[in-house]
C-alpha cells in the first residue's frame, strides 16, 4: 500500500482502477514493404474503422454536449473522404514502398503545413483537424486505441495535467475521479471537477507504473492510496456509504424552498458550462442558472462557434429551464482558458492581460455574433446577460451599446427577441469601488469571488504555490462583497455571488447579513446550501 498526499478538489471518496492518460503522440517508423496492394487495403480498412469511431463520437457528443459541438466529428468524417488526402497516401505507399502508417504521417505533415500557411484563419485551423484524423488512422493501423477509447470501465484518470478543454471532453460515465500532478484548486479544471461532483486530487505524485492498480481517492483527507489494504478498503466503503446517505438526506430537500426559518428567501441558482449541465441543475432542483460560462462553447469547438450554433445551445438551456432564470455570461476567454483559433499572443501575466470583455470590445463582430445568439434565444425562455471583467463605466456602456446594435440588427431582419436584464460581474477591486456608478446602469450584480479574490489579494489563482494565499475568506474580500451589496441596494438592484465562495456554508449567514439576494453554486452543492439556508434563523 502506498499513500500519497495531494490537494483535494471535492470532498468525496472513490475507489477504482487507475488509468494513466499519456498525452504523447505515437512514433511512426518508416518501414519498407513488399506488398503495396496489401498496404493500401489496410489503409482503406482503417479509414472505414475511423469513420465508425467518428460516428459514435458524434452521437456521444450530441447526447452530452449538444449538436453544435458534435458537428466537428462530421467535419472529420468529411475530411477522411477527401480524395486528395487519399491519393497522397496511396502515392507515398507506391512510390516509396513504405508502410501505410508512414504514408499517413507524411501526408498529415504536408497537408497540415499547407493549411497552416494559408492566409485564412478558418483554413489554418483545418491543419489541426488533419493531424487529428491522421493520428486516429495511425492508431488504428498500429492496433492501438486512443487513450480514451481504451477505457472500458469506470476508472480514476491519472495525468500530468488536464486543461479545461480536455476535462470537458472526458467521458463522465467512465470517470470515477482524477489525479493530476499539476493544477491549482482555483483553476477552471478544478471548478469542472466540482461541477461534475467527482473526487479529484491535484499536485499529486503520478507514475505510469500505477496504471491498472486499484486506488482510493480520499477527498476529505487529500490522499491517494495505491493498492489499499483491507482496512483502508473497508473504511473507503464506509465513507462512500456515508456520502451516499448524505446525498439521500439532501434529496429530501428537493422541491422545498430556499428560505430561512424567519422567512428570508434566497434565490439558489447554479453554475453551468454547457447544455448537458442543465440536467445536473434540474436533478439537484436548481431554481435557475446564475452563471452560464459561455466560453466553454468556444473551448469545446475547433473554430469560432457560429451564431446558429450558439443560438441552439442557449435556446436549449432556456427551454430546459422552462421559464426559470438563465444568466449567460458573455465570452470570458483568456488567462487559463485558451483557445487555439483565437491566436492570442502569449502574455507574461495573462490574468492581467487581454481577456474577457477586453477581447469582445475589440473583436466587435465576434461579440455581436454572440449577443445576437443570446438575444434570439431570449424569445424561448427567461434569459439575462452579464458582462465579465468590467473595470469602468465606459466599458459597460460600450458593451451595452453593442447589445443595442445587435438588437437593431435583429429588428431589421424581423427576428424576435425579448428585452433582457443586463448585469455586471463584479470581479475586480475597481468594479467594487465604482459599484455605485455601475449600479446606475446595470440591472444586477453578480460577484465573481474567484477572480475578485485573485485581484484583491494579488495572488494568481493558477499558481499552486499560492493556494494558501488565495483565501476567499480574507477580510478584504468579504469587505468587497459587503460594499458591492450596499451599492446594489442603494441603486435598487439585486446582487448575487457566482464564485465558488457562494457555496461556502460557513459563510451563508454572513452573506445573508450583507443582503445577498442570490447564490449561484455548482449543481452538486445546491441542496447542501439549501439545507444551510433552511437551518438559519436569519
Ligand atoms: C465566477 C467566476 O468566474 P470564473 O471562475 O469562470 O473566472 C469568478 O471569477 O468568480
Amino acid at each position: 500500500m502506498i499513500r500519497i498526499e495531494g490537494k483535494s478538489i471535492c470532498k468525496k471518496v472513490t475507489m477504482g482502477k487507475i488509468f494513466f492518460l499519456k498525452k504523447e503522440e505515437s512514433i511512426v517508423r518508416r518501414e519498407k514493404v513488399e506488398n503495396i496492394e496489401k498496404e493500401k487495403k489496410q489503409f482503406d480498412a482503417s479509414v472505414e474503422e475511423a469513420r465508425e469511431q467518428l460516428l459514435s463520437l458524434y452521437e456521444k457528443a450530441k447526447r452530452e454536449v449538444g449538436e453544435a459541438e458534435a458537428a466537428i466529428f462530421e467535419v472529420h468524417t468529411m475530411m477522411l473522404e477527401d480524395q486528395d488526402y487519399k491519393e497522397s497516401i496511396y502515392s507515398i505507399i507506391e512510390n516509396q514502398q513504405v508502410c501505410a502508417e508512414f504514408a499517413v504521417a507524411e501526408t498529415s505533415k504536408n497537408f497540415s503545413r499547407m493549411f497552416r500557411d494559408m492566409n485564412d484563419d478558418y483554413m489554418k485551423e483545418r491543419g489541426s483537424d488533419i493531424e487529428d484524423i491522421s493520428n486516429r488512422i495511425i492508431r488504428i493501423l498500429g492496433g492501438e486505441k486512443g487513450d480514451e477509447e481504451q477505457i472500458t470501465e469506470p476508472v480514476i484518470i491519472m495525468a500530468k495535467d488536464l486543461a479545461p478543454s480536455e476535462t470537458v471532453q472526458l467521458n463522465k460515465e467512465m470517470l470515477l475521479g482524477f489525479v493530476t500532478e499539476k493544477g491549482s484548486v482555483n483553476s477552471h479544471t478544478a471548478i469542472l471537477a466540482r461541477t461534475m461532483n467527482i473526487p479529484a486530487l491535484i499536485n499529486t505524485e503520478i507514475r505510469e507504473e500505477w496504471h491498472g492498480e486499484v486506488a482510493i481517492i480520499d477527498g476529505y483527507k487529500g490522499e491517494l492510496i495505491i493498492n489499499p489494504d483491507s482496512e483502508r478498503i473497508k473504511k473507503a466503503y464506509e465513507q462512500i456509504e456515508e456520502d451516499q446517505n448524505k446525498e439521500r438526506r439532501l434529496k429530501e430537500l428537493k422541491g422545498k424552498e430556499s428560505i430561512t426559518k424567519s422567512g428570508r428567501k434566497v434565490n439558489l441558482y447554479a453554475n453551468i458550462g454547457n447544455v448537458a449541465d442543465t440536467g445536473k441543475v434540474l436533478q439537484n432542483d436548481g431554481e435557475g442558472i446564475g452563471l452560464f460560462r459561455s466560453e466553454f462553447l468556444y473551448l469545446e469547438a475547433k473554430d469560432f462557434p457560429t451564431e446558429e450554433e450558439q443560438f441552439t445551445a442557449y435556446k436549449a438551456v432556456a427551454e430546459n429551464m422552462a421559464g426559470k432564470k438563465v444568466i449567460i455570461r458573455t465570452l470570458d476567454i483568456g488567462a487559463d482558458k485558451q483557445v487555439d483559433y483565437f491566436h492570442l499572443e502569449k502574455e507574461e501575466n495573462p490574468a492581467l492581460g487581454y481577456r474577457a470583455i477586453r477581447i469582445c470590445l475589440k473583436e466587435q463582430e465576434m461579440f455581436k455574433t454572440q449577443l445576437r445568439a443570446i438575444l434570439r434565444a431570449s424569445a424561448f425562455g427567461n434569459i439575462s446577460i452579464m458582462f465579465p471583467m468590467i473595470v469602468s463605466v465606459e466599458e459597460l456602456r460600450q458593451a451595452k451599446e453593442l447589445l443595442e446594435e445587435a438588437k437593431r440588427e435583429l429588428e431589421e431582419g424581423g427576428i424576435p427577441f425579448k428585452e433582457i436584464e443586463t448585469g455586471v460581474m463584479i470581479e475586480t477591486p475597481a468594479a467594487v469601488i465604482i459599484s455605485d456608478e455601475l449600479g446606475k446602469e446595470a440591472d444586477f450584480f453578480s460577484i465573481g469571488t474567484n477572480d475578485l479574490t485573485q485581484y484583491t489579494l494579488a495572488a494568481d489563482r493558477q499558481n499552486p504555490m499560492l493556494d494558501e494565499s488565495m483565501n476567499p475568506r480574507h477580510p478584504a474580500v468579504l469587505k468587497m462583497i459587503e460594499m458591492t451589496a450596499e451599492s446594489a441596494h442603494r441603486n435598487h438592484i439585486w446582487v448575487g455571488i457566482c464564485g465558488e465562495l457562494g457555496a461556502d456554508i460557513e459563510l451563508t449567514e454572513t452573506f445573508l447579513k450583507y443582503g445577498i439576494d442570490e447564490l449561484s453554486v455548482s449543481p452538486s452543492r445546491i441542496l447542501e446550501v439549501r439545507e444551510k439556508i433552511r437551518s438559519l434563523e436569519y
Side-chain angles (χ1 to χ4, degrees), residues 188 191 291 293 329 337 427 448-451 461 498-499:
H188 283 92
I191 291 173
L291 167 64
R293 290 184 163 96
R329 166 174 76 189
K337 289 174 284 191
E427 45 188 350
T449 51
N450 310 333
D451 275 337
R461 66 192 269 196
C498 64

Side-chain angles (χ1 to χ4, degrees), residues 442-460:
D443 297 318
F444 65 93
F445 287 155
S446 184
I447 308 175
T449 51
N450 310 333
D451 275 337
L452 186 59
T453 307
Q454 117 165 306
Y455 296 127
T456 303
L457 305 180
D460 181 357

Side-chain angles (χ1 to χ4, degrees), residues 381-425:
N382 180 5
I383 286 185
S384 304
I385 195 168
M386 64 181 177
F387 303 119
M389 276 291 287
I390 293 285
V391 297
S392 70
V393 175
E394 289 68 36
E395 277 177 346
L396 173 60
R397 286 189 188 145
Q398 275 182 55
K400 284 177 71 176
E401 181 43 43
L402 289 166
L403 184 63
E404 289 310 310
E405 263 181 44
K407 287 182 190 170
R408 282 195 292 276
E409 286 167 11
L410 291 180
E411 269 161 4
E412 277 160 22
I415 301 169
F417 63 90
K418 283 191 198 151
E419 281 305 326
I420 58 178
E421 277 197 326
T422 309
V424 171
M425 278 198 75

